[in-house]
Amino acid sequence: MMTNDDAFSGRPLAALARLLETGEVRSRDLAGAACAAIADEGREGAKIYLHHDPDQVRRAADASDMARRAGHAAGPLAGLPISIKDLFDVAGEVTRAGSTVLSDSAPADRDAPVVARLKAAGAVLTGRTNMTEFAFSGLGLNPHYGTPGNSRDRERIPGGSSSGAAISVTDGMAAAAVGSDTGGSVRIPAALTGLAGFKPTRTAVPLTGVLPLASSLDSIGPLAPTVACCALLHAVMSGTDPSALRPMPVAGLRLGVPRNHVLEALDSTVARRFDHALSVLGKAGARLEDIQVPEYDALSALNAKGGLAAPEAFAWHRDLLARRGGGYDPRVRLRIQRGETVPVADYIDTLAARPRLKESFEARLSRFDAFIMPTVPVVAPEIAPLEADDDLYIRTNQLILRNPSTVNFLDGCAVTVPCHDSDDLPVGLMLVGPAGGDRRLLEVAAAVEPLVAPHSA
């Protein structure tokens, strides 16, 4: 069996697929390497996976190898180990959403459509990954099951809420991962761990069988080594064309650089790497234009009135809170309960303002191929201070969610790509497009990615 380092090491899905096609490796090898990494006592498999059945994973891999030998390799993900967040229904498994209060719930009686599509495309599911309880934080802390440490520094947060999803990939426990994104929960952990991550248009991937946080904002997206990997997984999950991306030429790309709201309070590493990325892209011929985006400032005012996430989350959780509220992470419970205090009129006003802001935002964006900004204003902070200090936790969570959450409210799509120096903690560069512009944005990101990648610094 190949070693874990031989199996993964950040290889793109297409490269692994070629190795499977040529017979240089088997799906059993990849699955075995992932299972070995999860079981390794020197790693954090128990914090990263909330459910993992190595025998089931190996059986699925063996079935994939047998089908391939018979000439029946099915789908673009055939034989590839993929992890899924503990938010998606899988037949026969309990969907806990990173919580203990759902541990005694009945197992799902069917796969969520997104899970069914992954299986139909040949993916070997490695298990269910850890997350912030009920997906309601961008930091990735979980007091019930432990917080997976960032692969670059175990004392630092992985980002959330798809915390285990990101670390399953960076630690070689899966070739790619699937998470959810309500305010940045795919892009934040991807950015803080050095991965690519994609938040699609909200309606692109079906949400049936996915435990909701905020139905107006939820979306499903991949975390993976490259933009091309994300595009392939998104195509499978959205039922769209899985053909290879055609990166747009960088020369002549029109990139808007918002100078309000999203560039405030950057730490020195993020500021330096963002400026470097702009410089590299400008030298390659991209047309960069500094702009003001008043819709971002308007969002701040709306969120001050309560926003959408808290009241929508409370609507789903109110009965469960009444019965089992003492079992929640207190910080998550507090955020959800704030939804009860949002006046109905303010919630309705926010809903009414959303399409108007989206329309004006998309008109502003229409002059550009994408907006470009830091995904997260800071590198991954240390875990211990956040666990100890509620006020610090709240402030840091708000800061880390600030940039990516604008895309969810305005119902756009967004990609994060790594842009850090190889000696730095990971930094993400975010490209933003309009609703429905998913494929085009991925092609823009695929062009930008190699120019700003860590090895280019």
Side-chain angles (χ1 to χ4, degrees):
M1 185 186 75
M2 65 162 48
T3 67
N4 181 59
D5 288 341
D6 289 339
F8 294 101
S9 301
R11 284 191 175 100
L13 296 182
L16 292 174
R18 284 193 295 271
L19 293 174
L20 289 167
E21 289 168 4
T22 61
E24 293 179 62
V25 300
R26 303 168 300 165
S27 180
R28 174 75 178 216
D29 297 327
L30 299 179
C35 291
I38 296 168
D40 185 347
E41 293 184 0
R43 296 175 183 252
E44 297 192 321
K47 290 183 180 179
I48 296 164
Y49 280 86
L50 300 186
H51 174 80
H52 165 68
D53 183 338
D55 292 335
Q56 183 181 54
V57 174
R58 290 187 175 97
R59 286 195 299 271
D62 288 343
S64 179
D65 287 332
M66 186 179 299
R68 191 181 294 276
R69 287 195 296 271
H72 301 303
L77 300 178
L80 296 174
I82 308 295
S83 72
I84 60 170
K85 190 175 183 177
D86 187 35
L87 204 66
F88 304 97
D89 283 351
V90 177
E93 297 178 10
V94 176
T95 303
R96 290 179 288 181
S99 178
T100 57
V101 299
L102 296 179
S103 296
D104 56 358
S105 299
D109 59 4
R110 67 187 67 184
D111 291 339
V114 65
V115 172
R117 290 177 180 183
L118 289 167
K119 288 181 176 179
V124 174
L125 301 185
T126 55
R128 311 173 68 87
T129 54
N130 198 358
M131 55 183 285
T132 305
E133 185 181 45
F134 294 118
F136 211 3
S137 167
L139 303 181
L141 274 61
N142 188 309
H144 307 303
Y145 302 106
T147 299
N150 195 305
S151 299
R152 291 293 293 270
D153 180 347
R154 296 297 186 193
E155 302 302 314
R156 295 178 182 272
I157 67 168
S161 64
S162 306
S163 53
I167 307 303
S168 74
V169 179
T170 58
D171 270 26
M173 299 174 181
V178 177
S180 66
D181 193 310
T182 304
S185 288
V186 162
R187 289 161 291 152
I188 292 167
L192 295 183
T193 61
L195 295 173
F198 178 52
K199 177 253 180 284
T201 303
R202 184 178 60 86
T203 56
V205 179
L207 288 160
T208 305
V210 182
L211 197 147
L213 173 56
S215 58
S216 295
L217 305 170
D218 293 342
S219 58
I220 306 302
L223 305 88
T226 69
V227 171
C229 299
C230 289
L232 176 59
L233 279 166
H234 173 67
V236 167
M237 294 188 291
S238 61
T240 53
D241 180 9
S243 61
L245 290 177
R246 296 182 179 179
M248 295 182 64
V250 174
L253 272 184
R254 300 163 300 160
L255 300 175
V257 185
R259 288 292 172 180
N260 63 308
H261 190 69
V262 296
L263 297 187
E264 297 170 3
L266 303 186
D267 73 20
S268 59
T269 300
V270 173
R272 174 167 49 83
R273 296 309 302 170
F274 181 62
D275 288 344
H276 174 80
L278 295 183
S279 175
V280 168
L281 292 169
K283 290 176 182 176
R287 294 159 52 191
L288 305 168
E289 182 181 334
D290 290 348
I291 57 171
Q292 296 291 311
V293 183
E295 292 81 13
Y296 290 161
D297 299 319
L299 287 181
S300 296
L302 285 173
N303 285 331
K305 297 172 67 174
L308 297 176
E312 292 184 359
F314 180 75
W316 191 91
H317 283 271
R318 57 185 167 181
D319 292 337
L320 188 60
L321 280 168
R323 290 184 288 111
R324 308 194 65 174
Y328 279 62
D329 173 351
R331 288 164 166 173
V332 170
R333 183 180 68 236
L334 179 62
R335 292 193 73 200
I336 294 172
Q337 287 175 328
R338 283 176 179 155
E340 185 177 16
T341 67
V342 176
V344 173
D346 285 349
Y347 175 71
I348 292 172
D349 286 347
T350 301
L351 284 178
R354 190 182 189 192
R356 296 195 300 269
L357 286 175
K358 177 184 174 184
E359 182 179 6
S360 62
F361 176 77
E362 290 186 349
R364 198 175 312 282
L365 181 55
S366 66
R367 295 196 299 111
F368 300 95
D369 294 301
F371 285 169
I372 186 169
M373 65 189 73
T375 309
V376 179
V378 296
V379 297
E382 294 181 351
I383 295 170
L386 295 168
E387 290 180 330
D389 187 331
D390 286 345
D391 289 339
L392 178 63
Y393 176 96
I394 292 168
R395 293 195 307 273
T396 305
N397 189 50
Q398 289 173 339
L399 180 63
I400 280 179
L401 287 166
R402 185 194 67 200
N403 289 7
S405 64
T406 60
V407 182
N408 298 80
F409 188 91
L410 295 166
D411 196 22
C413 53
V415 185
T416 182
V417 297
C419 71
H420 53 281
D421 187 326
S422 57
D423 294 330
D424 286 334
L425 289 169
V427 175
L429 181 72
M430 186 163 63
L431 296 152
V432 176
D438 301 61
R439 177 79 179 189
R440 180 178 176 83
L441 182 69
L442 287 163
E443 290 174 344
V444 172
V448 169
E449 179 181 39
L451 294 182
V452 302
H455 64 75
S456 69

Coordinates of all heavy atoms in Angstrom, one line a residue, residues 156-229:
R156 N -3.5 26.9 16.3 CA -4.4 27.9 15.6 C -5.6 27.3 15.1 O -5.7 26.1 14.8 CB -3.6 28.6 14.5 CG -2.4 29.4 15.1 CD -1.6 30.1 13.9 NE -0.5 30.8 14.5 CZ -0.5 32.1 14.9 NH1 -1.6 32.8 14.7 NH2 0.6 32.7 15.4
I157 N -6.7 28.2 14.9 CA -8.0 27.7 14.5 C -7.9 27.2 13.0 O -7.1 27.6 12.2 CB -9.0 28.8 14.6 CG1 -8.8 29.9 13.6 CG2 -9.2 29.3 16.0 CD1 -10.0 30.9 13.5
P158 N -8.8 26.2 12.7 CA -8.9 25.8 11.3 C -9.8 26.7 10.5 O -9.8 26.6 9.2 CB -9.5 24.4 11.5 CG -10.4 24.5 12.7 CD -9.7 25.5 13.6
G159 N -10.6 27.5 11.1 CA -11.6 28.3 10.5 C -12.9 27.4 10.4 O -12.9 26.2 10.6
G160 N -14.0 28.1 10.3 CA -15.3 27.3 10.3 C -16.3 27.9 9.4 O -16.1 28.9 8.8
S161 N -17.5 27.3 9.4 CA -17.8 26.2 10.2 C -17.3 24.9 9.7 O -17.3 23.9 10.5 CB -19.3 26.2 10.4 OG -20.0 25.9 9.2
S162 N -16.8 24.8 8.5 CA -16.4 23.5 7.9 C -15.0 23.2 8.3 O -14.1 23.0 7.4 CB -16.5 23.6 6.4 OG -17.8 24.0 6.0
S163 N -14.7 23.1 9.6 CA -13.4 23.0 10.1 C -12.8 21.6 9.8 O -11.7 21.6 9.2 CB -13.4 23.1 11.6 OG -14.4 22.3 12.2
G164 N -13.5 20.6 10.1 CA -12.9 19.2 9.8 C -12.8 19.0 8.3 O -11.9 18.2 7.9
A165 N -13.7 19.6 7.5 CA -13.6 19.5 6.0 C -12.2 19.9 5.5 O -11.5 19.2 4.8 CB -14.7 20.2 5.4
A166 N -11.8 21.1 6.0 CA -10.5 21.6 5.5 C -9.3 20.8 6.0 O -8.5 20.4 5.2 CB -10.3 23.1 6.0
I167 N -9.3 20.4 7.3 CA -8.2 19.7 7.8 C -8.2 18.2 7.3 O -7.1 17.6 7.1 CB -8.2 19.7 9.4 CG1 -8.3 21.1 9.9 CG2 -6.9 19.1 9.9 CD1 -7.2 22.1 9.4
S168 N -9.3 17.7 6.9 CA -9.3 16.4 6.3 C -8.5 16.4 5.0 O -7.8 15.4 4.6 CB -10.7 15.9 6.0 OG -11.3 16.5 4.9
V169 N -8.5 17.5 4.3 CA -7.7 17.6 3.0 C -6.3 17.9 3.3 O -5.4 17.3 2.8 CB -8.4 18.7 2.1 CG1 -7.6 18.8 0.8 CG2 -9.8 18.3 1.8
T170 N -6.0 18.9 4.1 CA -4.6 19.3 4.4 C -3.9 18.3 5.1 O -2.6 18.2 5.0 CB -4.6 20.7 5.2 OG1 -5.3 20.5 6.4 CG2 -5.2 21.8 4.4
D171 N -4.6 17.4 5.9 CA -3.9 16.3 6.6 C -3.9 15.0 5.8 O -3.5 13.9 6.4 CB -4.5 16.1 8.0 CG -3.9 17.0 9.0 OD1 -3.3 18.0 8.7 OD2 -4.0 16.6 10.2
G172 N -4.3 15.0 4.6 CA -4.2 13.8 3.8 C -5.2 12.7 4.1 O -5.0 11.5 3.9
M173 N -6.4 13.1 4.7 CA -7.4 12.2 5.1 C -8.5 12.1 4.1 O -9.5 11.3 4.2 CB -8.0 12.5 6.5 CG -6.9 12.5 7.6 SD -7.5 13.1 9.1 CE -6.0 13.0 10.1
A174 N -8.4 12.9 3.0 CA -9.3 13.0 1.9 C -8.7 13.8 0.8 O -7.8 14.6 1.1 CB -10.7 13.6 2.3
A175 N -9.0 13.5 -0.4 CA -8.5 14.2 -1.5 C -9.1 15.6 -1.7 O -8.6 16.5 -2.3 CB -8.6 13.4 -2.8
A176 N -10.4 15.7 -1.3 CA -11.2 16.9 -1.3 C -12.3 16.8 -0.3 O -12.6 15.7 0.2 CB -11.7 17.2 -2.7
A177 N -13.0 17.9 -0.1 CA -14.1 17.8 0.9 C -15.3 18.7 0.5 O -15.1 19.6 -0.4 CB -13.6 18.4 2.3
V178 N -16.4 18.4 1.0 CA -17.6 19.1 0.8 C -18.1 19.7 2.1 O -18.2 19.1 3.1 CB -18.7 18.2 0.2 CG1 -20.0 19.0 -0.1 CG2 -18.3 17.6 -1.2
G179 N -18.4 21.0 2.0 CA -18.9 21.7 3.2 C -20.1 22.6 2.8 O -20.7 22.5 1.7
S180 N -20.5 23.4 3.8 CA -21.6 24.4 3.5 C -21.1 25.8 3.8 O -20.1 26.0 4.5 CB -22.8 24.1 4.5 OG -22.4 24.3 5.8
D181 N -21.8 26.7 3.2 CA -21.3 28.1 3.3 C -22.5 29.0 3.4 O -23.3 29.2 2.5 CB -20.5 28.5 2.0 CG -19.8 29.8 2.1 OD1 -20.4 30.8 2.5 OD2 -18.5 29.8 1.9
T182 N -22.8 29.5 4.7 CA -23.9 30.4 4.9 C -23.4 31.9 5.1 O -24.1 32.8 4.8 CB -24.6 30.0 6.2 OG1 -25.1 28.6 6.0 CG2 -25.8 30.8 6.5
G183 N -22.1 32.0 5.6 CA -21.5 33.3 5.7 C -20.0 33.3 5.5 O -19.3 34.2 5.9
G184 N -19.6 32.2 4.9 CA -18.2 32.0 4.6 C -17.6 30.6 5.0 O -16.4 30.4 5.1
S185 N -18.5 29.7 5.4 CA -18.1 28.5 6.1 C -17.3 27.5 5.2 O -16.7 26.6 5.7 CB -19.3 27.8 6.7 OG -19.7 28.5 7.8
V186 N -17.3 27.7 3.9 CA -16.3 27.0 3.0 C -15.1 27.8 2.8 O -13.9 27.3 3.0 CB -17.0 26.7 1.7 CG1 -15.9 26.3 0.6 CG2 -17.9 25.5 1.8
R187 N -15.3 29.1 2.5 CA -14.1 29.9 2.1 C -13.2 30.3 3.3 O -12.0 30.4 3.1 CB -14.6 31.2 1.5 CG -15.2 31.0 0.1 CD -16.2 32.1 -0.3 NE -17.4 32.2 0.5 CZ -18.1 33.2 0.8 NH1 -17.7 34.4 0.3 NH2 -19.2 33.2 1.5
I188 N -13.7 30.4 4.5 CA -12.9 30.8 5.6 C -11.9 29.7 6.0 O -10.7 29.9 6.0 CB -13.8 31.2 6.9 CG1 -14.5 32.5 6.6 CG2 -12.9 31.3 8.1 CD1 -15.6 32.7 7.6
P189 N -12.4 28.4 6.2 CA -11.4 27.4 6.5 C -10.5 27.1 5.3 O -9.3 26.8 5.5 CB -12.2 26.2 6.8 CG -13.6 26.5 6.3 CD -13.8 27.9 6.3
A190 N -10.9 27.3 4.1 CA -10.0 27.1 2.9 C -8.9 28.1 3.0 O -7.8 27.8 2.8 CB -10.8 27.2 1.6
A191 N -9.3 29.4 3.2 CA -8.3 30.5 3.2 C -7.3 30.3 4.4 O -6.1 30.5 4.2 CB -9.0 31.8 3.4
L192 N -7.8 29.9 5.5 CA -6.9 29.8 6.7 C -6.0 28.6 6.7 O -5.1 28.5 7.5 CB -7.7 29.8 8.0 CG -8.5 31.1 8.3 CD1 -9.2 31.1 9.6 CD2 -7.6 32.4 8.3
T193 N -6.3 27.6 5.8 CA -5.5 26.4 5.7 C -4.7 26.3 4.4 O -4.1 25.2 4.2 CB -6.4 25.2 6.0 OG1 -7.4 25.1 5.0 CG2 -7.0 25.2 7.4
G194 N -4.9 27.2 3.5 CA -4.1 27.1 2.3 C -4.8 26.3 1.1 O -4.1 25.8 0.3
L195 N -6.1 26.2 1.2 CA -6.8 25.5 0.1 C -7.6 26.5 -0.8 O -7.8 27.6 -0.5 CB -7.8 24.5 0.8 CG -7.2 23.4 1.6 CD1 -8.4 22.6 2.3 CD2 -6.4 22.4 0.7
A196 N -8.1 25.9 -1.9 CA -9.1 26.6 -2.7 C -10.5 26.2 -2.1 O -10.7 25.1 -1.6 CB -9.0 26.2 -4.2
G197 N -11.4 27.2 -2.2 CA -12.8 26.9 -1.8 C -13.8 27.7 -2.6 O -13.5 28.8 -3.0
F198 N -14.9 27.1 -2.9 CA -15.9 27.7 -3.8 C -17.3 27.8 -3.1 O -17.8 26.8 -2.7 CB -16.0 27.0 -5.1 CG -17.0 27.5 -6.1 CD1 -17.0 28.9 -6.4 CD2 -17.9 26.7 -6.6 CE1 -17.9 29.4 -7.3 CE2 -18.9 27.2 -7.5 CZ -18.8 28.5 -7.9
K199 N -17.8 29.0 -3.1 CA -19.2 29.2 -2.7 C -20.0 29.5 -3.9 O -19.8 30.5 -4.6 CB -19.3 30.4 -1.7 CG -20.8 30.7 -1.3 CD -21.2 32.0 -1.9 CE -22.6 32.4 -1.6 NZ -23.7 31.6 -2.3
P200 N -20.9 28.6 -4.4 CA -21.6 28.8 -5.6 C -22.9 29.7 -5.4 O -23.2 30.1 -4.2 CB -22.1 27.4 -6.0 CG -22.3 26.8 -4.6 CD -21.2 27.3 -3.7
T201 N -23.5 30.1 -6.4 CA -24.8 30.7 -6.3 C -25.7 29.8 -5.4 O -25.7 28.5 -5.5 CB -25.5 30.8 -7.7 OG1 -24.6 31.5 -8.6 CG2 -26.9 31.4 -7.6
R202 N -26.5 30.4 -4.5 CA -27.2 29.6 -3.5 C -28.1 28.5 -4.1 O -28.1 27.4 -3.5 CB -28.1 30.6 -2.7 CG -28.8 30.0 -1.5 CD -29.6 31.0 -0.8 NE -30.6 31.6 -1.6 CZ -31.9 31.1 -1.9 NH1 -32.2 30.0 -1.3 NH2 -32.7 31.8 -2.6
T203 N -28.7 28.7 -5.2 CA -29.6 27.7 -5.7 C -28.9 26.7 -6.6 O -29.6 25.8 -7.2 CB -30.7 28.4 -6.5 OG1 -30.2 29.2 -7.5 CG2 -31.6 29.3 -5.6
A204 N -27.6 26.7 -6.8 CA -27.0 25.9 -7.7 C -26.9 24.4 -7.3 O -27.0 23.5 -8.1 CB -25.5 26.4 -8.0
V205 N -26.8 24.2 -6.0 CA -26.7 22.8 -5.5 C -27.9 22.6 -4.5 O -28.2 23.4 -3.7 CB -25.4 22.6 -4.7 CG1 -25.3 21.2 -4.1 CG2 -24.2 22.9 -5.6
P206 N -28.6 21.5 -4.7 CA -29.9 21.3 -3.9 C -29.5 21.1 -2.4 O -28.6 20.5 -2.0 CB -30.4 20.0 -4.4 CG -29.3 19.3 -5.2 CD -28.4 20.4 -5.7
L207 N -30.4 21.8 -1.6 CA -30.2 21.8 -0.1 C -31.1 20.8 0.6 O -31.1 20.7 1.8 CB -30.5 23.2 0.4 CG -29.4 24.2 0.1 CD1 -30.0 25.6 0.2 CD2 -28.2 24.1 1.0
T208 N -31.9 20.0 -0.2 CA -32.7 18.9 0.4 C -31.8 18.0 1.2 O -30.7 17.6 0.7 CB -33.5 18.2 -0.6 OG1 -34.3 19.2 -1.4 CG2 -34.4 17.2 0.0
G209 N -32.2 17.6 2.4 CA -31.4 16.6 3.1 C -30.2 17.2 3.8 O -29.3 16.5 4.2
V210 N -30.1 18.5 3.8 CA -29.0 19.2 4.4 C -29.5 20.0 5.6 O -30.5 20.8 5.4 CB -28.3 20.2 3.5 CG1 -27.1 20.9 4.1 CG2 -27.8 19.4 2.2
L211 N -29.0 19.8 6.8 CA -29.6 20.5 8.0 C -29.3 22.0 7.8 O -28.2 22.4 7.6 CB -28.9 20.0 9.3 CG -29.7 20.3 10.6 CD1 -29.5 19.2 11.6 CD2 -29.2 21.6 11.2
P212 N -30.4 22.8 7.9 CA -30.2 24.2 7.6 C -29.7 25.1 8.7 O -29.8 24.7 9.9 CB -31.7 24.7 7.3 CG -32.5 23.8 8.2 CD -31.8 22.5 8.2
L213 N -29.0 26.2 8.4 CA -28.7 27.2 9.3 C -29.6 28.4 9.1 O -30.4 28.8 9.9 CB -27.3 27.6 9.2 CG -26.9 28.8 10.1 CD1 -27.2 28.6 11.5 CD2 -25.4 29.2 9.9
A214 N -29.5 29.0 7.9 CA -30.4 30.1 7.4 C -30.8 29.8 6.0 O -29.9 29.9 5.1 CB -29.6 31.4 7.6
S215 N -32.0 29.5 5.8 CA -32.4 29.1 4.4 C -32.2 30.1 3.4 O -32.1 29.8 2.2 CB -33.9 28.6 4.5 OG -34.7 29.7 4.9
S216 N -32.2 31.4 3.7 CA -32.0 32.5 2.7 C -30.5 32.6 2.3 O -30.3 33.2 1.3 CB -32.4 33.8 3.3 OG -33.8 33.8 3.5
L217 N -29.6 32.0 3.1 CA -28.2 32.2 2.8 C -27.4 30.9 2.6 O -26.3 31.0 2.0 CB -27.6 32.9 4.1 CG -28.3 34.2 4.5 CD1 -27.7 34.6 5.9 CD2 -28.0 35.3 3.5
D218 N -27.9 29.8 3.0 CA -27.2 28.5 2.9 C -26.8 28.2 1.4 O -27.6 28.4 0.5 CB -28.0 27.4 3.4 CG -28.3 27.5 4.9 OD1 -27.6 28.2 5.6 OD2 -29.2 26.8 5.4
S219 N -25.6 27.6 1.3 CA -25.2 27.1 0.0 C -24.2 25.9 0.3 O -23.6 25.8 1.4 CB -24.5 28.1 -0.9 OG -23.4 28.7 -0.2
I220 N -23.9 25.1 -0.7 CA -23.0 24.0 -0.6 C -21.9 24.1 -1.5 O -22.0 24.4 -2.7 CB -23.8 22.7 -1.0 CG1 -25.1 22.5 -0.2 CG2 -22.9 21.4 -0.8 CD1 -24.9 22.5 1.3
G221 N -20.6 23.9 -1.0 CA -19.5 24.1 -1.8 C -18.3 23.2 -1.4 O -18.3 22.6 -0.4
P222 N -17.3 23.1 -2.3 CA -16.1 22.2 -2.1 C -14.9 23.0 -1.5 O -14.8 24.2 -1.7 CB -15.8 21.7 -3.5 CG -16.2 22.9 -4.4 CD -17.4 23.6 -3.7
L223 N -14.1 22.2 -0.9 CA -12.7 22.7 -0.4 C -11.8 21.7 -1.0 O -12.0 20.4 -0.9 CB -12.6 22.7 1.1 CG -13.6 23.5 1.9 CD1 -14.8 22.7 2.3 CD2 -12.9 24.0 3.2
A224 N -10.7 22.1 -1.7 CA -9.8 21.2 -2.4 C -8.5 21.9 -2.7 O -8.3 23.1 -2.5 CB -10.5 20.8 -3.7
P225 N -7.5 21.1 -3.2 CA -6.2 21.7 -3.5 C -6.2 22.8 -4.5 O -5.4 23.7 -4.5 CB -5.4 20.5 -4.0 CG -6.1 19.3 -3.3 CD -7.5 19.6 -3.3
T226 N -7.1 22.7 -5.5 CA -7.0 23.7 -6.6 C -8.5 24.2 -7.0 O -9.5 23.5 -6.7 CB -6.4 23.1 -7.9 OG1 -7.2 22.1 -8.4 CG2 -5.0 22.5 -7.5
V227 N -8.5 25.2 -7.8 CA -9.8 25.7 -8.4 C -10.4 24.7 -9.3 O -11.6 24.4 -9.3 CB -9.6 27.0 -9.1 CG1 -10.8 27.4 -9.9 CG2 -9.2 28.2 -8.1
A228 N -9.5 24.0 -10.1 CA -10.0 23.0 -11.0 C -10.7 21.8 -10.2 O -11.7 21.3 -10.7 CB -8.9 22.4 -11.9
C229 N -10.2 21.5 -9.1 CA -10.8 20.5 -8.2 C -12.2 20.9 -7.8 O -13.1 20.2 -7.8 CB -9.9 20.2 -7.0 SG -8.3 19.5 -7.3

